[in-house]
Amino acid sequence: MRELFKKRLALHQRHMQKYLRYVFNDHFVLICVFLLGGVGLYYSEFVKSLPRNFWPAAGVALLILVAILPLGRFATLMQEADIVFLLPKERALKEYFKGAFNYSLLLPFFIELLVLGFLMPLLVATTAIKFPAFFILLGTMWLLKLAQLKIATLKIYQVAPSKLRQVELLWLVLSVLCLAAGIFLNPFIGLILAFVTGVGIFKLLAKSEENLDWEKMIGMEKSRLHRIYQFINLFTDVPEITATVKRRAYLDGVLQKIKPQQKNTYLYLYARRFARGSEYSGLFIRLVVIGSLLLYFVQDVYFSLGLGILFIYMIGFQLIPLYNQFRYMILTQLYPVSSQQKAKALQVLLLLLLSLAAFVFAISASLALSLWYERFLVIAAYFLMVFFFTRWYVPRRLKKMA
């Protein structure tokens, strides 16, 4: 069974690597470097401004550490056909799930490493903790994550939901106590308490893993993969994910502005695909909200300038795949619709959407900036970016895609 899991894991990783090269492209890496550099600069200045023994900052760090502990699901890599073909081997699957358990720990451990590393300067500046305590706190979090993932494995078995909720609540309370003791008292105390918590959880659940709930287990794995594909779908088309379509009657007044004429064929299609499809409209709204919130808290004109331009580029870049949505639509090939109309329609739609995003960003940045010339500079830069992106970048990008 261990060999079966290794084979499935190898196939899963090869499948993911095929998509990850589209996710971690040059544009995404550049954006991440820019954001990390800007956030790191402001974060260092913020930490320097905090007084010693400022306990609210440590309290916020505690809440963040507790919040990231449940991140990462139990990855079984089980498939629908397993209900039939692996049912006779249910007893032997314990070896399979050991490999799945170890694999499921990798990503959460890495996330906790990064987040704790990010929060350590804040803890050192506002508490009595020193930088070497990083490894002790990291060990505390890893022990608590082990206990949490052990509880997560219980969900694939036929266990009463009430018992599961009680164990999860117990783990949450103990996790808060362990991390609070490690931050406010002594890191070694938190580590010892986390070790006791982990051992106690493992012993408490030792005899609960008896009968598998096959349908629930397959459903959980489908849900986990669907979340991964949803994220990848922001960067490239994923055949494994199906889009959901919603009526959204409240947008009919806007969509009816596009006259059903031959010259508006693709604009008509693209606008309705964007408005009634869940992935592109949801992506647009999320990025606009996140960008406007970040700009509201940025009071430096140059960082506000770069951040707004960056988000406009991100939104436009993620919406370009709309171009291929009607590639195999026969009716557009039967009617005499020129191929140039397709690119022009996408340019028009992107111009409208990015102008709306730039308008929202301009309002948010203007509220944060105090000088009028700074506001004018930011607003002008945002709309110049929209013009540059739609008139220069999009045609060249579509030419490559075609």
Side-chain angles (χ1 to χ4, degrees), residues 109 112-114 116 133-143 191:
F109 277 9
E112 289 167 9
L113 174 69
L114 291 180
L116 183 61
F134 167 79
F135 300 101
I136 303 172
L137 290 173
L138 184 62
T140 302
M141 295 192 67
W142 283 0
L143 287 171
L191 182 64

Side-chain angles (χ1 to χ4, degrees), residues 57-69 115 118-119 122 141 179:
V60 171
L62 172 63
L63 290 176
I64 294 173
L65 293 178
V66 172
I68 65 169
L69 279 176
V115 175
F118 181 78
L119 292 175
L122 180 65
M141 295 192 67
L179 288 173

Side-chain angles (χ1 to χ4, degrees), residues 64-162:
I64 294 173
L65 293 178
V66 172
I68 65 169
L69 279 176
L71 293 180
R73 296 188 175 190
F74 182 44
T76 60
L77 304 182
M78 297 295 282
Q79 303 169 7
E80 286 189 77
D82 294 336
I83 299 178
V84 177
F85 294 101
L86 292 183
L87 184 61
K89 292 287 186 180
E90 183 173 334
R91 297 287 180 185
L93 281 174
K94 288 190 176 180
E95 290 297 316
Y96 178 95
F97 290 132
K98 285 181 181 177
F101 184 86
N102 294 332
Y103 169 69
S104 302
L105 287 171
L106 295 178
L107 181 61
F109 277 9
F110 181 69
I111 292 174
E112 289 167 9
L113 174 69
L114 291 180
V115 175
L116 183 61
F118 181 78
L119 292 175
M120 274 308 290
L122 180 65
L123 293 174
V124 171
T126 57
T127 65
I129 293 176
K130 303 299 180 184
F131 276 107
F134 167 79
F135 300 101
I136 303 172
L137 290 173
L138 184 62
T140 302
M141 295 192 67
W142 283 0
L143 287 171
L144 294 173
K145 181 59 191 179
L146 278 168
Q148 188 273 334
L149 193 61
K150 185 65 176 177
I151 299 171
T153 61
L154 209 63
K155 295 180 180 180
I156 67 173
Y157 292 93
Q158 297 179 18
V159 179
S162 58

Side-chain angles (χ1 to χ4, degrees), residues 37-68:
V39 171
L41 176 64
Y42 276 88
Y43 178 62
S44 63
E45 295 298 324
F46 172 73
V47 170
K48 291 176 184 177
S49 66
L50 293 175
R52 194 69 179 172
N53 298 322
F54 186 64
W55 66 266
V60 171
L62 172 63
L63 290 176
I64 294 173
L65 293 178
V66 172
I68 65 169

Side-chain angles (χ1 to χ4, degrees), residues 308-322:
I309 289 174
L310 187 60
F311 266 89
I312 291 171
Y313 173 80
M314 286 172 61
I315 294 170
F317 182 79
Q318 302 293 0
L319 293 179
I320 286 177
L322 266 171

Side-chain angles (χ1 to χ4, degrees), residues 320 323 343 393-402:
I320 286 177
Y323 181 73
Y393 180 81
V394 172
R396 284 159 178 76
R397 181 72 180 177
L398 295 182
K399 192 174 181 180
K400 289 182 180 179
M401 292 174 66

Side-chain angles (χ1 to χ4, degrees), residues 27 49 84 129 201 229 241 254 283 295 314 352 356 379:
H27 302 91
S49 66
V84 177
I129 293 176
I201 293 291
Y229 291 139
I241 193 170
V254 178
L283 168 70
L295 288 170
M314 286 172 61
L352 294 172
L356 176 60
I379 293 170

Side-chain angles (χ1 to χ4, degrees), residues 246-297:
K246 296 183 180 179
R247 177 70 179 84
R248 296 195 173 99
Y250 54 87
L251 291 177
D252 284 350
V254 178
L255 295 175
Q256 287 171 1
K257 299 291 184 182
I258 303 172
K259 302 299 181 183
Q261 300 173 353
Q262 182 175 328
K263 64 179 182 179
N264 294 331
T265 300
Y266 276 105
L267 181 60
Y268 185 95
L269 292 172
Y270 285 146
R272 279 159 175 76
R273 180 67 183 87
F274 171 81
R276 293 172 179 168
S278 57
E279 65 271 35
Y280 290 107
S281 57
L283 168 70
F284 177 79
I285 293 171
R286 284 194 296 271
L287 288 178
V288 169
V289 170
I290 293 171
S292 57
L293 286 175
L294 289 175
L295 288 170
Y296 180 76
F297 293 103

